[in-house]
Amino acid sequence: METKTTCPYCGVGCGVVAQHDPRRCDTLAGVSGDSTHPANEGRLCVKGSALAQTLGHEGRLMHPRIDGCDVSWETALSEVASRLAGIRKRHGGGAIAGYLSGQLLTEDYYIANKFFKGFVGTPHVDTNSRLCMASAVAGYKRALGADAVPCCYEDLEEAELVVLTGSNLAWNHPVLYQRLRAAKRRNPLMQIVVIDPRVTDTCELADLYLQIAPGSDIALFNGLLSYMADKGRLDRNFIQHHAEGFDEALAAAQQEVPDIEAVAERCGVDAERLETFYYWFATRLHVVTLYSQGINQSSSGTDRVNAIINCHLAGGSIGLPGAGPFSITGQPNAMGGREVGGLANQLAAHMDYHTPGALDRVTRFWTTPGLVPTLPDGPGHKALALIEAIERGEIQALWIMATNPLVSLPDANRVRAAIKRCPLVIVSDGVARNDTLEYADIVLPASGWAEKDGTVTNSERRISRQRGILPPPGEARHDWWILCEVARRMGFGEAFNYRGVHEIFDEHARLSGFENDPQATPENGYRLFDISGLAGLDRNAYDALAPIQWPVNAGAPHGTARLFNNARFMTPNGRARLIAVTSSPAIQQPSHEARLMLNTGRIRDQWHTMTRTARASRLMHHRSEPFIEVHPATARAAGVTDGQVARLHNALGEYFGRVRVTTAQRPGELFIPIHWNNQFAHQARASALIKAVCDPVSGQPESKQGRVAMSPITAQWEACLLLGRDAPAPLEESDWWARIPQVHCQRWQMAGETSFDWQAWCEHTLGQAPTLWSEDGRRGHFRAACLQGGRLRWWLAVAPAGTLNPMLGEIGWLDDCFAYETLESSQRRRLLAGRAASSEDAGSTVCSCHQVGQKSIERAIANGCNSVEALGERLACGTQCGSCIPELKKLIAAQAEHRDEPVEQVSV
Ligand SMILES: Nc1nc2c(c(=O)[nH]1)N[C@H]1C(S)=C(S)[C@@H](COP(=O)(O)OP(=O)(O)OC[C@H]3O[C@@H](n4cnc5c(=O)[nH]c(N)nc54)[C@H](O)[C@@H]3O)O[C@H]1N2
Ligand SMILES: Nc1nc2c(c(=O)[nH]1)N[C@H]1C(S)=C(S)[C@@H](COP(=O)(O)OP(=O)(O)OC[C@H]3O[C@@H](n4cnc5c(=O)[nH]c(N)nc54)[C@H](O)[C@@H]3O)O[C@H]1N2
Ligand code: SF4
Ligand SMILES: [Mo]
């Protein structure tokens, strides 16, 4: 059987076809791209393609838990309801807080917002979108009067110039990147500019790359605004009739950066390159600027967003095909959360607390016979302020849903301390273990992707159905159901009485259209977010809902691809606003103890805190361990070498990762991934090093500009330990460790200073002496394996620090050994050699879809496959999702350089 649904990862919002066997209720037979879905037209990236491998009941949360003990739903729900009601009675609704997520479906989100704000009566409901989209939202609101993304994906294809800034699109929105690549192939005149302090795979498509100094974005775009004015490249008509604030914005820009040389100095970029960018932007109308976390996650994030939008307004590049400032969303339903009003400063359905008449309107809408909501009258605490309120003891109960704040919030160790002292912590999640669940008093098991039913909205305002295909495991329940059951037990049943998600969606659609008159002004109730055209769908019609872009109403029954083509904006006078912005000094300044600049972000194959992507072992091979990317000069100065484990530290915390020396980094700057956490490695939470400072307008934390020191760890030995299912984990025996799930075993990489008697160590730590072993004490080598009843139980290799990984190579064949009931004698003999018999070492995985390793690719190139197409034909790499094509090109270029052959330029 096949069911169409939507990918639960990034904001591209790809349509997926799920193949399932009705006799199997724990997993899907496979997934493929939905060729009829407008976002991806059949394409999927590696993460989407591996969705089926992330399912299965193992490691899922099956039962509600109170203080660590499994309880029935009845007990859990009554306990949650009575404790929340008690706190509300004693301290008021404001002592209760919700912390939600852009990974909830719109229906869950709508119910959570209605529950907390409408009936518990607390304004303190915020979401992880605060860490992600808050600056983009605030910037759009300041400029356009509403949080409305003007563009759609076709605009990227129709543009003459695409500017990607603060976005690693190739890794983080791979299907959009593929669409852009295809568009450029069709239209070679299209130009692409990439702006990022580090060279990423996204640069592979760039005609021009600007390696700017971190945080110099405002100077860069202010320089562009001045340039457009100087060269007479403004859209005077647009500025005069549809915008305001131009003179002030230009004056601020000119004052900050009087000429291109001043910008070049601020940004650390060659003036000639800058001028090329400025010339391209100023002479083209069809320009899309796409931005993401490199812009948003900053103490000046909102100003950065407005510096970009200013240039689009000054040049009139908005509201046209192939033009506009395009904030690309991260999470699958970041947009849905914004639509229901999930942020602490929003009320509901694109109405804020201060929107004239909004409080009264929402109160009337949510009133049911005999039950009137008790809405708070002003905004609540944004995420970081919420943590401070917990520290002050003002928040007595916190309900966390679909997010892992102990890993993702800045100053993560402080967050842990705050949450530890909060009297009641409720966590709804789908997995049995994560860093946040460890501090929950009450744990509620939530259904997950392929089980949940509802809608999500992607980056281009397109609403798609996510369909429930499998039954939730154990006693897991949908988030909206859990909320409604608690609401009922708190006496709000009348307002939370739904027969299914279609009724919730219907209410949400009706609220969006309630007293929303497009002929009126925004002060008189007009909101752009209007899906009243989707109200009244019954269960079948809702289930059949095809992807559609809002607004959907009487005036636009088939949805709306682009906004503002009439140049009427959502401000009181209908004009868009340019905002005068100037750079302010970085808040996180270098100190004697912490000189290096720390940038944090994502890798291609992992999703956030790895609770789902680490379940697919094929996604563990591209980058297997936490790492630190560093320029060669900086590495030398710090005394660290490539492949070694190093430690980053500052006053807030520490981070361990394997050093990757690369000229992709600017000297003095480091990049680390955000994904690893206590479940997968020793001290590898990036956010433990990030200070809790945020943008004053949006409240979004500055996650990309930390300050740290780096030092080598003094490891004597390194070990690779493979553990079968029933073998005990090696706890805290080493100075550093990382756990890398494989298909049949768990791989532990460890390093330490104090040497052990390894035979005794095995007996003591792994509970059993080795069956086979070999030792070379002089060289510091030890190999051992333990077989039980013919079956491999564990396998261990120890070597001096820095020598182990190159020696081991690919260990896929060893992983396979754990699958056999009995190992044959030839297999046993090879165990200690640590090498497969015939198969050649494939090297680290480059193509995750077809599991093709770097060494195999290099061999194929050496044998004459010197194009991406030829490699694809020989090894199939790069032929499915295409995410590895930039890496394939680099490998081809590297070998050609080695042979001194001319190659097509790859770096720009
Ligand atoms: N594979 C994968 N894809 C994902 C996710 C994931 O976890 N894994 N998460 C999703 C989510 S929620 C989000 S929000 C998106 C995020 O998507 P992106 O924003 O693309 O992700 P990041 O890697 O956080 O940061 C983007 C780039 O900003 C650059 N940068 C840092 N500082 C500056 C600066 O001062 N100026 C400029 N111009 N650039 C700077 C970084 O070097 C980095 O390359 O990805 C989504 N997609
Ligand atoms: N230093 C630094 N920090 C960052 C960032 C950065 O770039 N640098 N990026 C920030 C950004 S943009 C983001 S979006 C955040 C992401 O950070 P988080 O939101 O903390 O990360 P996730 O791993 O996505 O957490 C989602 C949790 O919800 C669970 N879950 C999944 N689906 C469901 C569901 O349907 N219901 C329930 N109840 N639970 C579910 C998952 O198992 C997981 O535990 O990190 C932010 N933090
Ligand atoms: S680009 Fe990849 S992760 Fe994003 S929605 Fe599409 S398949 Fe999912
Ligand atoms: Mo995000």
Side-chain angles (χ1 to χ4, degrees), residues 263-285:
V263 185
E265 161 117 27
R266 287 295 305 278
C267 298
V269 176
D270 182 59
E272 226 169 276
R273 281 179 163 245
L274 269 181
E275 186 150 12
T276 307
F277 166 49
Y278 287 179
Y279 177 76
W280 287 358
F281 194 111
T283 52
R284 276 133 184 95
L285 179 61

Side-chain angles (χ1 to χ4, degrees), residues 345-506:
N345 47 314
Q346 303 172 330
L347 179 57
H350 270 219
M351 289 173 272
D352 287 340
Y353 285 96
H354 64 254
T355 309
L359 266 172
D360 172 57
R361 184 179 305 122
V362 177
T363 302
R364 281 186 285 114
F365 185 83
W366 280 344
T367 299
T368 48
L371 189 61
V372 181
T374 50
L375 281 157
D377 53 11
H381 296 310
K382 296 171 183 156
L384 300 193
L386 186 59
I387 297 299
E388 288 165 12
I390 295 174
E391 285 172 343
R392 290 192 303 271
E394 290 166 19
I395 300 291
Q396 297 281 310
L398 174 66
W399 189 344
I400 298 167
M401 252 171 253
T403 176
N404 195 358
L406 263 72
V407 183
S408 53
L409 274 176
D411 203 349
N413 292 330
R414 174 176 168 188
V415 173
R416 179 169 54 197
I419 287 184
K420 232 169 156 173
R421 66 158 293 186
C422 183
L424 174 60
V425 177
I426 306 163
V427 179
S428 304
D429 207 288
V431 296
R433 297 187 58 159
N434 74 19
D435 290 15
T436 302
L437 281 163
E438 282 179 33
Y439 296 93
D441 301 295
I442 303 183
V443 168
L444 304 173
S447 55
W449 183 78
E451 298 146 17
K452 302 185 70 131
D453 212 11
T455 54
V456 289
T457 309
N458 74 1
S459 293
E460 55 165 359
R461 287 174 281 103
R462 192 182 295 280
I463 299 170
S464 296
R465 286 279 280 111
Q466 233 185 60
R467 295 189 170 86
I469 303 162
L470 303 171
E475 292 183 274
R477 295 284 183 274
H478 303 315
D479 289 298
W480 67 268
W481 181 90
I482 301 172
L483 281 155
C484 289
E485 288 298 311
V486 170
R488 198 158 64 79
R489 285 166 177 76
M490 289 177 76
F492 315 134
E494 271 301 299
F496 292 87
N497 195 2
Y498 305 96
R499 280 173 303 170
V501 269
H502 64 289
E503 291 194 353
I504 304 174
F505 183 80
D506 172 59

Side-chain angles (χ1 to χ4, degrees), residues 407 409-413 650 652-654 683 685-690:
V407 183
L409 274 176
D411 203 349
N413 292 330
N650 61 20
L652 307 176
E654 57 177 358
Q683 301 288 15
R685 288 167 307 139
S687 291
L689 297 171
I690 301 289

Side-chain angles (χ1 to χ4, degrees), residues 12-32:
V12 178
C14 295
V16 168
V17 180
Q19 288 97 31
H20 49 108
D21 174 349
R23 286 162 305 183
R24 283 212 64 175
C25 63
D26 60 337
T27 191
L28 298 174
V31 296
S32 53

Side-chain angles (χ1 to χ4, degrees), residues 136-190:
V137 172
Y140 274 142
K141 279 185 165 177
R142 285 208 300 198
L144 312 177
D147 172 23
V149 178
C151 312
C152 60
Y153 295 160
E154 274 98 40
D155 290 332
L156 284 170
E157 296 163 333
E158 290 176 23
E160 299 163 271
L161 172 67
V162 175
V163 180
L164 303 171
T165 180
S167 154
N168 184 6
L169 203 71
W171 280 12
N172 300 328
H173 298 93
V175 165
L176 263 195
Y177 185 74
Q178 286 176 47
R179 283 183 66 162
L180 194 58
R181 181 208 302 280
K184 192 164 160 60
R185 201 174 291 148
R186 282 196 303 272
N187 172 17
L189 293 179
M190 174 197 263

Side-chain angles (χ1 to χ4, degrees), residues 101 103-104 108 128 131-132 293 297 331 401-405 407-409 428-431 434 446-448 452 479 600-602 607-612 674 686-687 690 703-704:
S101 158
Q103 290 166 79
L104 291 168
D108 299 324
N128 64 357
L131 319 178
C132 180
Q293 300 316 333
Q297 287 173 339
Q331 298 179 89
M401 252 171 253
T403 176
N404 195 358
V407 183
S408 53
L409 274 176
S428 304
D429 207 288
V431 296
N434 74 19
S447 55
K452 302 185 70 131
D479 289 298
T600 64
R602 293 157 170 78
W607 177 260
H608 295 168
T609 69
M610 304 167 70
T611 59
R612 292 178 284 164
I674 61 168
S687 291
I690 301 289
S703 311
K704 298 234 176 312

